[in-house]
């Protein structure tokens, strides 16, 4: 287990991160804006996820928001810029100016292959979500208040979503004349089914945490999602880290590959784990409780 530490956020501190006993506690930190997403928030989410991916001591992650909401979506200032015809993604404007690329060119950034989709260039919003899926360890989102638009897509990047019963979740992009562009069109149908995904998208209706669980949009309802998430993360951090990482990888593979490859990967993981130091320690700890 690693000692208490920090993920060293950027000076703007839009994202806070503390690592204690293998659990990374990541918090969106714009409570006065209901943790709305701006350019700085996107950059810090990506940077924080990448730092955690490189930290072998991290065994589980909790993703939550400070204040009364998880994330209310894209900051209204970005929509105002869109309405006025002004640039609303400063980092993309600067990148195009530096590279002298045409406006519709999305030139690759260094390290795009690290997001698990080699050969594909991801947008910043996609990276801010997908970085949590390419982490080797489980990521648990704790949702209270709002998870709307981009905020909901961010939550979809987690492996597990614990949600307050009175939370409000919604696919709101069409209200602003947009479509989802933070992996939501690909992830949402896998969770709730194609017809429900279309209903949520076309209607832009908000659902409660309880309905979200019924639809498959969230995992389970909790009165105190962050407390529950931290407790779950602590229990995961106490398990064999090699087996936990293999379990996430194998479960994700079930959505992407065929059964033949999946069965082969299962056997390889078992052969790798059984008899290892971490697995033998787990068995000894389990047997202690039976004596």
């Amino acid at each position: 287990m690693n000692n208490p530490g920090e993920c060293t956020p950027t000076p703007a501190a839009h994202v806070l991160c503390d690592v204690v006993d293998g659990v990374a506690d990541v918090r969106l930190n714009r409570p006065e804006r209901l943790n709305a997403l701006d350019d700085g928030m996107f950059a810090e989410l990506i940077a924080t996820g990448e730092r955690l991916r490189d930290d072998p001591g991290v065994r589980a992650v909790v993703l939550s928001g400070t204040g009364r909401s998880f994330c209310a979506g894209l900051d209204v200032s970005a929509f105002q810029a869109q309405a006025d015809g002004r640039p609303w993604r400063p980092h993309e404007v600067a990148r195009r100016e530096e590279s002298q690329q045409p406006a519709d060119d999305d030139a690759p950034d260094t390290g795009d292959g690290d997001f698990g989709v080699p050969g594909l260039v991801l947008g910043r919003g996609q990276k801010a979500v997908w970085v949590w899926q390419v982490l080797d360890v489980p990521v648990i989102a704790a949702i209270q208040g709002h998870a709307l638009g981009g905020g909901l897509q961010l939550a979809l990047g987690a492996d597990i979503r614990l949600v307050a019963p009175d939370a409000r979740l919604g696919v709101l992009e069409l209200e602003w004349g947009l479509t989802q562009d933070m992996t939501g069109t690909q992830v949402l149908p896998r969770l709730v089914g194609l017809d429900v995904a279309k209903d949520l998208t076309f209607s832009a209706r908000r659902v409660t945490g309880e309905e979200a669980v019924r639809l498959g949009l969230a995992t389970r309802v909790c009165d105190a999602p962050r407390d529950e998430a931290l407790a779950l993360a602590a229990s995961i951090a106490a398990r064999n880290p090699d087996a936990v990482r293999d379990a996430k990888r194998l479960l994700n593979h079930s959505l992407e590959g065929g059964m033949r490859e999946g069965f082969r990967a299962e056997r390889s993981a078992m052969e790798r784990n059984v008899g290892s130091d971490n697995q033998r320690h787990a068995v000894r700890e389990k047997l202690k409780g039976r004596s």
Side-chain angles (χ1 to χ4, degrees):
M1 299 289 185
N2 57 309
N3 294 322
E6 295 183 354
C7 297
T8 316
T10 62
H14 285 349
V15 176
L16 304 176
C17 178
D18 300 299
V19 181
V20 179
D21 291 335
V23 175
D25 182 10
V26 180
R27 288 149 290 156
L28 282 64
N29 188 42
R30 299 184 75 210
E32 74 286 354
R33 304 289 289 180
L34 300 180
N35 297 316
L37 299 161
D38 66 357
D39 213 51
M41 181 82 85
F42 282 123
E44 290 185 42
L45 281 167
I46 296 166
T48 300
E50 290 180 320
R51 283 194 296 269
L52 293 176
R53 191 181 185 193
D54 293 335
D55 186 345
V58 172
R59 296 189 174 189
V61 177
V62 172
L63 183 62
S64 66
T66 58
R68 58 192 180 93
S69 281
F70 176 74
C71 178
L74 191 63
D75 194 281
V76 174
S77 62
F79 292 118
Q80 186 61 59
Q82 293 166 18
D84 296 342
R86 293 182 285 109
W88 63 285
R89 286 174 165 166
H91 71 281
E92 293 184 354
V93 174
R95 184 179 65 188
R96 286 196 297 268
E97 290 176 349
E98 291 173 2
S99 61
Q100 297 182 338
Q101 295 293 329
D104 61 350
D105 182 73
D106 197 11
D109 292 326
T110 301
D112 277 324
D114 293 339
F115 284 79
V117 281
L120 179 64
V121 176
L122 299 184
R124 177 168 287 197
Q126 292 172 324
K127 291 179 184 178
V129 172
W130 206 244
V131 70
W132 308 104
Q133 269 301 305
V134 299
L135 282 180
D136 293 335
V137 300
V139 179
I140 307 160
I143 302 168
Q144 80 287 347
H146 307 87
L148 304 174
L152 176 59
Q153 292 185 78
L154 178 60
L156 297 183
D159 301 295
I160 297 169
R161 283 160 294 283
L162 305 185
V163 60
D166 59 350
R168 290 292 183 271
L169 297 83
V171 182
L172 303 190
E173 279 76 10
L174 279 179
E175 286 191 347
W176 300 93
L178 299 171
T179 55
Q180 300 173 76
D181 72 338
M182 294 169 57
T183 77
T185 61
Q186 304 307 300
V187 178
L188 184 62
R190 297 174 187 238
L191 291 173
V192 302
L194 185 58
D195 58 337
V196 175
K198 290 178 178 179
D199 174 41
L200 292 171
T201 299
F202 300 150
S203 69
R205 68 187 181 92
R206 296 158 175 80
V207 300
T208 66
E210 291 180 335
E211 184 178 359
V213 171
R214 292 196 297 271
L215 294 175
L217 194 59
T219 310
R220 54 186 168 95
V221 170
C222 303
D223 290 330
R226 185 166 178 271
D227 291 344
E228 291 274 354
L230 288 170
L232 176 57
S235 71
I236 292 170
R239 301 186 185 280
N240 175 1
D242 301 324
V244 170
R245 288 177 170 83
D246 278 337
K248 176 172 176 173
R249 179 177 55 79
L250 290 167
L251 290 169
N252 283 348
H253 182 274
S254 71
L255 296 176
E256 301 162 0
M259 278 195 173
R260 180 186 299 274
E261 295 79 11
F263 289 159
R264 184 178 295 114
E266 270 191 356
R267 292 198 310 272
S268 296
M270 173 62 78
E271 292 168 359
R272 185 168 55 252
N273 277 301
V274 70
S276 67
D277 290 343
N278 282 328
Q279 192 266 336
R280 291 167 61 197
H281 174 75
V283 171
R284 288 193 295 268
E285 291 298 308
K286 184 67 174 178
L287 291 176
K288 283 182 183 177
R290 298 173 60 89
S291 58

